[in-house]
Amino acid sequence: MSYVFAPPPVVAVPVVGSSETFAVRRIYCVGRNYEAHAREMGHDPDREPPFFFGKPADAVLYVAPGETGEFPYPSLSKNVHFEMELVAAIGKGGKNIPEDAALGHVYGYALGLDMTRRDLQAEAKKLGRPWDTAKGFDHSAPIGPIHPVGSGAHVGQGAIWLSVNGEEKQRSDVSQLIWSVAETIAYLSTLFELQPGDLIFTGTPEGVGAVVKGDVMQGGVDGLGELNVRVI
């Protein structure tokens, strides 16, 4: 088969302890999935059904352990926010997945940042428009390597945190997710047929805020190391 132009390269994230990489298919993101964050964004944290938005696979900005990635400050925004998140990597597809079987579809976990043009998001909300320009821009999904579950435990609890220039901004516990990873997968699979290669950004805790060029973000989740990103 011939193409009009060469297909784009596969977006892939390295896997800890392996020479293999995880080919990214889609990126799903859960909105307002920590109670305190829902409150700080001006919303009632009652347990309503989860909602989702997406990022393109090529929004991935891979950052290796021990290195500091470079996040280019995006155009047409003057208010870009960090959102530290636990990322679940799907290794087994399915639809209408039962909650009690959902974790069996998880290949591994990673650290991720959902970078957001907050001013463009606020304008989109006001006008009732989609969030694509606020959430799905280039390099908007910095991510560390994927830690395969293997025989290890799933990430159901543990501190999640982020600092900017050494000052702590976000801290919570993964156990505080309104919708757990299993519940999120089960619900999402009623909307889309999940496939190997899907990434799910599971939501951010309270304390989100703006960054400017030169800032260094350092975040982590217990057991998954740290993610370091500089704004350029």
Side-chain angles (χ1 to χ4, degrees), residues 19-173:
S19 60
E20 297 180 324
T21 56
F22 183 93
V24 179
R25 175 180 174 263
R26 292 181 180 176
I27 301 175
Y28 299 100
C29 304
V30 189
R32 298 196 295 266
N33 204 21
Y34 285 82
E35 288 189 7
H37 176 58
R39 291 191 184 96
E40 78 176 347
M41 299 303 290
H43 297 276
D44 190 329
D46 284 348
R47 204 168 186 270
E48 60 186 10
F51 71 94
F52 302 89
F53 57 89
K55 293 176 183 277
D58 62 5
V60 161
L61 172 64
Y62 174 67
V63 182
E67 297 184 2
T68 299
E70 294 188 335
F71 167 75
Y73 197 95
S75 60
L76 300 180
S77 180
K78 296 181 179 179
N79 189 22
V80 176
H81 281 206
F82 54 81
E83 298 190 11
M84 187 66 205
E85 310 207 4
L86 169 70
V87 180
I90 299 298
K92 175 185 175 184
K95 58 183 178 180
N96 299 316
I97 298 169
E99 182 185 327
D100 60 3
L103 292 182
H105 292 254
V106 176
Y107 173 81
Y109 296 92
L111 304 174
L113 279 166
D114 168 18
M115 300 303 295
T116 303
R117 287 165 162 157
R118 192 69 76 199
D119 44 0
L120 300 192
Q121 184 188 35
E123 183 68 12
K125 287 180 178 180
K126 184 172 68 175
L127 298 174
R129 293 177 178 173
W131 294 3
D132 299 63
T133 56
K135 291 288 194 177
F137 56 93
D138 297 342
H139 316 296
S140 62
I143 192 170
I146 294 172
H147 297 248
V149 173
S151 59
H154 287 272
V155 182
Q157 61 182 14
I160 178 171
W161 57 272
L162 181 134
S163 64
V164 178
N165 303 327
E167 180 181 353
E168 188 171 282
K169 300 292 186 179
Q170 292 185 279
R171 179 167 290 274
S172 186
D173 195 284

